[in-house]
Amino acid sequence: MFLMPEITSKAMIGIIGSGQMGQGIAEVFLHNGHPIFIHDTDSNQLNTAIDSLHKRLHRAYEKGTLDANQKIHFLNNITPCHNLVQFASCDLIIEAIIEDFDTKTSLFERLGKHQKNTCILATNTSSFSITSLAKHVKSPERFLGIHFFNPAHHMPLVEIIPHQTTHPDVTRNITQFITTVGKTPVTCQDSPGFIVNRLLLPLINQATILLESGTATADAIDTAMTLGANFPMGPLALADLIGLDTCLSILATLHESSNDSSLKPSSLLKQYVANGKLGRKSGEGFFRYSL
Ligand code: NAD
């Protein structure tokens, strides 16, 4: 029998992966009063993430968007987890680890031993098939894509991607729940890149090809698209924000699934990733950043 999930305003939220997305997603739920459990296999990264969440809550307090009681309450709502056992009480777990299929499926297989029966599991994958990932989870009917955008605390859109056997009550419940944390959900069928990345990543790839060919500098390409196409930021700066490793992985998945040669990741993008230039998170990509 299908047990109706209980995702309410008191839901305990598990977040696995404490990189850029994990931190932003944590902030969304903290600001809506949810207790969050957050894990990363890299304990230094987990410590950095906790520190950064504390600083962000403190900044919100200084700006007057949180009062002193809320700040203390939200800080107490953060539980750093060094072990997946600690996720046993979570009502909703969102996976936000690196965009690597085998790493994600191996995590799901280990996590299955610790999820409670009513827990809904979601992936924040940018490009992998939800149907393929579902083969590795404990309860496929309680599994779906919940795709936040970067920076997650700021961007209003969330793509909701059920697969064929996601229970309709789960999709309905999650779609409704996402609105309670101030986001706008759009539902999309399970298809490569969903909506935004299917449209955005080909543009980013073409921008890197233009740069590689020497047609224009990175500055010129981004200026052209901000002033000429009215984009809020240029495609190369956006690629740096997403992370060049993540862009490469999404493009590789899109290319593999479509066989469309225009989606083949450019050699310049591959070169940047091979050299550790990952964009904002590493301090350098197409542009330089202070960390
Ligand atoms: P990131 O590189 O900033 O963070 C990934 C984190 O996952 C790292 O801290 C790493 O230590 C951790 N990790 C790796 N393997 C792990 C494991 N087995 N268990 C626990 N933690 C593990 O990446 P990100 O930009 O935060 O992206 C995370 C996910 O969100 C990816 O699937 C990505 O495609 C997706 N996403 C990214 C963006 C974006 O703009 N960056 C937007 C939407 C979705």
Side-chain angles (χ1 to χ4, degrees):
M1 194 188 76
F2 183 77
L3 291 167
M4 189 55 196
E6 293 158 31
I7 306 295
T8 65
S9 60
K10 304 226 169 8
M12 302 223 202
I13 312 292
I15 297 162
I16 308 188
S18 68
Q20 347 181 52
M21 293 309 294
Q23 287 176 44
I25 295 168
E27 206 175 346
V28 171
F29 290 105
L30 282 173
H31 276 271
N32 284 280
H34 291 275
I36 63 126
F37 295 73
I38 183 162
H39 167 72
D40 201 293
T41 41
D42 178 343
S43 50
N44 288 333
Q45 174 60 34
L46 183 59
N47 291 340
T48 305
I50 300 298
D51 193 43
S52 157
L53 285 171
H54 282 211
K55 283 187 182 139
R56 291 193 216 183
L57 288 176
H58 188 67
R59 268 201 301 273
Y61 165 68
E62 282 179 337
K63 277 203 275 176
T65 49
L66 288 186
D67 65 31
N69 285 337
Q70 282 174 315
K71 186 183 109 173
I72 293 166
H73 179 60
F74 292 175
L75 285 172
N76 287 335
N77 266 348
I78 305 173
T79 306
C81 302
H82 296 280
N83 198 310
L84 296 178
V85 180
Q86 291 170 275
F87 285 81
S89 54
C90 290
D91 302 294
L92 169 65
I93 301 176
I94 302 176
E95 169 276 309
I97 69 168
I98 48 163
E99 190 73 351
D100 180 88
F101 191 84
D102 293 343
T103 311
K104 286 186 192 285
T105 55
S106 141
L107 166 72
F108 293 150
E109 281 159 14
R110 283 179 286 122
L111 184 63
K113 296 183 194 115
H114 308 294
Q115 285 168 246
K116 66 177 178 183
N117 284 343
T118 54
C119 175
I120 293 179
L121 175 65
T123 174
N124 189 49
T125 181
S126 300
S127 59
F128 294 133
S129 153
I130 308 299
T131 309
S132 305
L133 291 172
K135 293 185 181 124
H136 301 267
V137 306
K138 177 184 170 187
S139 308
E141 72 279 16
R142 287 176 205 285
F143 177 68
L144 78 174
I146 304 183
H147 188 221
F148 287 84
F149 290 82
N150 189 10
H153 59 281
H154 180 67
M155 297 293 279
L157 183 70
V158 176
E159 290 174 332
I160 307 286
I161 312 113
H163 64 96
Q164 262 195 342
T165 60
T166 306
H167 197 285
D169 288 349
V170 170
T171 311
R172 212 174 305 119
N173 192 337
I174 288 295
T175 306
Q176 203 278 329
F177 176 62
I178 284 297
T179 64
T180 69
V181 296
K183 300 293 180 191
T184 302
V186 292
T187 308
C188 172
Q189 283 193 7
D190 183 20
S191 88
F194 318 126
I195 301 172
V196 173
N197 285 333
R198 179 65 186 86
L199 297 172
L200 181 64
L201 267 293
L203 171 76
I204 287 177
N205 200 33
Q206 291 305 316
T208 68
I209 290 169
L210 265 190
L211 180 64
E212 188 172 19
S213 68
T215 306
T217 62
D219 267 332
I221 292 167
D222 274 19
T223 302
M225 291 308 284
T226 47
L227 302 186
N230 214 11
F231 280 26
M233 73 197 297
L236 296 172
L238 182 54
D240 279 352
L241 177 68
I242 294 170
L244 302 189
D245 51 341
T246 303
C247 288
L248 178 59
S249 175
I250 301 171
L251 277 164
T253 306
L254 289 177
H255 180 230
E256 209 178 285
S257 59
S258 68
N259 229 357
D260 174 348
S261 61
S262 71
L263 294 171
K264 188 173 177 214
S266 73
S267 40
L268 186 69
L269 183 60
K270 288 185 188 161
Q271 202 180 306
Y272 270 68
V273 173
N275 291 336
K277 293 180 181 174
L278 306 181
R280 273 179 193 258
K281 63 184 167 187
S282 70
E284 188 177 351
F286 296 113
F287 301 98
R288 283 174 191 271
Y289 306 89
S290 52
L291 286 176

